[in-house]
């Protein structure tokens, strides 16, 4: 099998060089070349349509990162964009006072999400996770937080601690997904002071294999939260409006007290939500100041309402599950055939191909070579982040992807035999 040739990413590199003199580091956070494979992946995108991307050098890709999660339908989804354009043209979207769409969206969320009674609307996932912790602390008059998963870039939870005084995160403790004993031990020590347990209800820890909840795990955490009087918060920023219309809590049948939603709710427009039980949520009105200039901007509410309308009308998530299950079954067969230590984890709407860790570190080379071949062939995955399926991935797109996975793994096999 012949290796695919390196992409021409000249313009990306030129723009990156220019960016490095304008923006610290050129690009921020998880968009850095080292978050993919430096020298192989494009750095700047020109446009997207459906499930396809075109970079600034004209390379075309079938995309499986979906903007790191918000793209549930597809890029430039006409109905959503037109609803937003109409709002901007005919009414405007940025005012001092709120427009009525917050009520419409809060009603819809209460209808769909099991724990939802009252909702507040913000912009980013980090806004929402941070607001949920503040609400839980205000409601319980307690301080400590148990956390499990990625919750954003704010002081209390970011991994890189530079620039943050220790006191801002010293009351926050981490436990592992599917590890109720670890949580139980932490609560045995800190339970009476614990305000919140915040966790992703489906396991998608950064850079690691994905984890389905083991039988009884979510129920045990629910029980521990009740036992210690802590607010249970599900971080459904990735899973909301993707695993089901009611999120992972609906799929797995265990309901938290609060939940945060974002990403897929508005197909790319910036909006996030804290939703939950009335008595807990009322702390937001009674004891807190949660306000920001852009929180009430209505273009994102319009986008969310339209996206939810399409998700319901066209039964989008059922189709994503069906396509994804078929796709994962075929990927698994390819992995089994090549037997090079590649592993598939996750569930139909979000899955991840990783390489089994070995002491020699060969897995890192396999990972680099596999994802290098994939990007060169025109398939945009990340070596360090799971993939998503969106509505606009067609069977044909997925078949092309399967062929590329097969070819790329056979190259890996040849190299590491
Ligand atoms: C589970 C989870 N929570 C919170 C966040 C933070 O969201 P944002 O990047 O919109 O601030 C993310 C972002 O990836 C996330 O995946």
């Amino acid at each position: 099998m012949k290796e695919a040739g390196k992409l021409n990413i000249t313009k990306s590199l030129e723009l990156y060089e220019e960016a490095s003199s304008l923006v610290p580091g050129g690009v921020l956070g998880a968009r850095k070349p080292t978050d993919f494979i430096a020298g192989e992946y494009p750095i700047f995108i020109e446009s997207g349509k459906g499930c396809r991307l075109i970079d600034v050098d004209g390379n075309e890709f079938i995309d499986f990162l979906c903007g790191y999660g918000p793209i549930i339908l597809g890029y430039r989804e006409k109905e959503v964009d037109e609803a937003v354009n109409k709002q901007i043209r005919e009414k405007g979207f940025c005012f001092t006072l709120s427009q009525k769409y917050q009520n419409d969206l809060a009603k819809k969320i209460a209808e769909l999400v099991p724990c939802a009674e009252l909702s507040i609307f913000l912009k980013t996932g980090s806004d929402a996770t941070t607001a949920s912790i503040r609400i839980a602390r205000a409601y319980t008059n307690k301080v400590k937080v148990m956390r499990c998963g990625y919750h954003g870039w704010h002081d209390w939870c970011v991994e890189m601690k530079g620039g943050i005084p220790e006191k801002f995160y010293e009351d926050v403790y981490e436990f592992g997904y599917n590890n109720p004993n670890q949580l139980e031990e932490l609560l045995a020590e800190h339970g009476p002071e614990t305000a919140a347990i915040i966790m992703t209800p489906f396991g998608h820890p950064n850079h690691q294999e994905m984890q389905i909840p083991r039988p009884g795990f979510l129920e045990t955490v629910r029980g521990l939260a009740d036992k210690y009087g802590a607010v249970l918060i599900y971080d459904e920023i990735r899973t909301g409006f993707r695993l089901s219309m009611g999120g992972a809590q609906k799929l797995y049948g265990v309901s938290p007290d609060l939940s945060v939603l974002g990403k897929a709710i508005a197909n790319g427009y910036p909006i996030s939500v804290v939703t939950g039980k009335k008595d807990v949520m009322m702390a937001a009105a009674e004891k807190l100041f949660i306000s920001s200039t852009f929180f009430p901007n209505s273009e994102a509410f319009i986008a969310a309402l339209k996206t939810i309308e399409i998700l319901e009308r066209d039964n989008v998530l059922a189709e994503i599950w069906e396509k994804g299950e078929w796709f994962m079954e075929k990927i698994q067969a390819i992995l089994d055939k090549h037997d090079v230590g590649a592993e598939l984890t996750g569930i139909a709407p979000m899955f991840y191909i990783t390489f089994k860790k070995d002491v020699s570190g060969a897995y890192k080379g396999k990972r680099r070579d596999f994802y290098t071949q994939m990007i060169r062939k025109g398939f945009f995955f990340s070596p360090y982040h799971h993939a998503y399926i969106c509505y606009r991935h067609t069977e044909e797109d997925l078949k092309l992807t399967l062929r590329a996975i097969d070819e790329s793994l056979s190259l890996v096999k040849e190299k590491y035999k």
Side-chain angles (χ1 to χ4, degrees):
M1 179 74 54
K2 207 165 147 288
E3 274 192 43
K6 209 168 153 77
L7 296 175
N8 173 11
I9 52 167
T10 315
K11 283 203 187 120
S12 257
L13 293 172
E14 280 167 14
L15 283 169
Y16 186 57
E17 197 181 328
E18 181 187 45
S20 302
S21 66
L22 299 166
V23 174
V27 288
L28 285 183
R31 271 80 187 180
K32 292 192 300 295
T34 47
D35 278 284
F36 299 92
I37 297 170
E40 293 286 349
Y41 278 68
I43 308 168
F44 287 89
I45 287 296
E46 181 70 22
S47 65
K49 176 79 185 151
C51 69
R52 285 166 195 263
L53 297 173
I54 298 178
D55 72 7
V56 287
D57 288 280
N59 301 303
E60 191 175 327
F61 306 94
I62 295 180
D63 174 49
F64 286 90
L65 282 192
C66 297
Y68 277 141
I71 302 301
I72 182 72
L73 298 170
Y75 294 101
R76 271 195 288 154
E77 191 66 32
K78 204 164 166 212
E79 266 189 276
V80 179
D81 293 345
E82 276 184 357
V84 171
N85 286 340
K86 187 167 186 286
Q87 176 73 11
I88 293 171
R89 268 196 326 272
E90 295 180 6
K91 294 195 174 159
F93 65 96
C94 177
F95 300 102
T96 311
L97 303 181
S98 294
Q99 289 173 290
K100 76 174 188 75
Y101 312 104
Q102 67 148 30
N103 299 12
D104 301 338
L105 189 55
K107 267 187 236 166
K108 198 73 213 168
I109 288 170
E111 197 185 292
L112 293 169
V113 179
C115 77
E117 290 176 3
L118 303 183
S119 298
I120 57 171
F121 299 99
L122 311 97
K123 287 278 137 209
T124 69
S126 303
D127 289 344
T129 56
T130 301
S132 73
I133 294 299
R134 202 189 287 178
I135 292 170
R137 283 174 164 162
Y139 174 73
T140 57
N141 282 316
K142 298 193 278 182
V143 173
K144 294 192 175 178
V145 171
M146 305 294 144
R147 60 169 288 202
C148 171
Y150 177 78
H151 305 299
W153 73 276
H154 286 179
D155 288 358
W156 64 276
C157 63
V158 72
E159 268 167 47
M160 288 177 79
K161 303 291 187 208
I164 308 170
E166 210 176 312
K167 60 184 164 205
F168 289 177
Y169 55 83
E170 68 188 6
D171 291 313
V172 179
Y173 303 82
E174 271 188 86
F175 66 99
Y177 192 83
N178 274 334
N179 194 342
N181 294 344
Q182 197 181 10
L183 176 63
E184 209 158 352
E185 278 165 28
L186 282 168
L187 288 170
E189 193 178 343
H190 305 287
E193 302 141 278
T194 298
I197 301 170
I198 181 167
M199 63 181 293
T200 61
F202 175 72
H204 48 73
N206 274 357
H207 314 315
Q208 291 172 42
E209 298 77 21
M210 309 185 85
Q211 293 184 54
I212 291 164
R214 286 207 196 103
F217 172 59
L218 295 175
E219 290 81 356
T220 304
V221 177
R222 175 70 271 180
L224 287 168
D226 292 341
K227 177 174 167 189
Y228 289 99
V231 174
L232 179 61
I233 306 166
Y234 277 181
D235 180 344
E236 297 234 37
I237 295 292
R238 289 189 211 181
T239 50
F241 294 97
R242 193 172 279 277
L243 265 50
S244 87
M245 294 304 289
Q249 59 197 270
K250 178 101 189 252
L251 184 70
Y252 296 122
V254 181
S255 200
D257 302 305
L258 299 184
S259 185
V260 293
L261 304 158
K263 297 203 194 255
I265 191 174
N267 200 50
Y269 289 87
I271 187 163
S272 61
V273 188
V274 184
T275 190
K277 294 190 178 148
K278 188 174 174 182
D279 56 335
V280 186
M281 287 297 293
M282 279 310 288
E286 288 158 2
K287 297 186 181 173
L288 306 179
F289 180 72
I290 298 177
S291 174
S292 182
T293 307
F294 297 127
F295 282 171
N297 279 18
S298 68
E299 90 288 3
F301 287 86
I302 297 291
L305 287 162
K306 185 52 83 177
T307 301
I308 293 172
E309 181 189 320
I310 297 170
L311 293 177
E312 287 193 300
R313 183 194 67 204
D314 298 346
N315 214 359
V316 168
L317 300 189
E319 189 176 319
I320 288 179
W321 271 92
E322 199 182 322
K323 278 191 291 203
E325 277 174 350
W326 174 84
F327 192 46
M328 283 184 76
E329 209 181 294
K330 300 278 179 214
I331 296 177
Q332 189 59 58
I334 295 171
L335 267 47
D336 293 344
K337 179 176 94 176
H338 293 292
D339 194 22
V340 285
E343 292 182 310
L344 177 68
T345 53
I347 45 177
M350 43 203 284
F351 62 92
Y352 196 9
I353 299 173
T354 51
F355 289 83
K356 215 178 279 165
K357 292 196 176 67
D358 49 27
V359 275
S360 71
Y363 76 96
K364 291 183 191 165
K366 291 180 188 173
R367 178 176 64 199
R368 187 195 56 236
D369 291 342
F370 172 70
Y371 283 105
T372 295
Q373 286 303 301
M374 290 301 287
I375 194 71
R376 288 182 180 185
K377 288 171 184 291
F379 298 88
F380 203 104
F381 285 85
S382 166
Y384 306 113
H385 194 286
H386 63 79
Y388 291 105
I389 295 208
C390 74
Y391 190 39
R392 296 295 169 204
H393 282 117
T394 64
E395 202 181 317
E396 190 51 33
D397 296 321
L398 299 182
K399 281 185 181 159
L400 290 171
T401 313
L402 289 171
R403 193 187 318 150
I405 293 174
D406 193 10
E407 291 171 359
S408 302
L409 278 181
S410 77
L411 266 166
V412 171
K413 184 162 186 175
E414 239 172 85
K415 188 163 169 185
Y416 292 85
K417 64 182 168 213

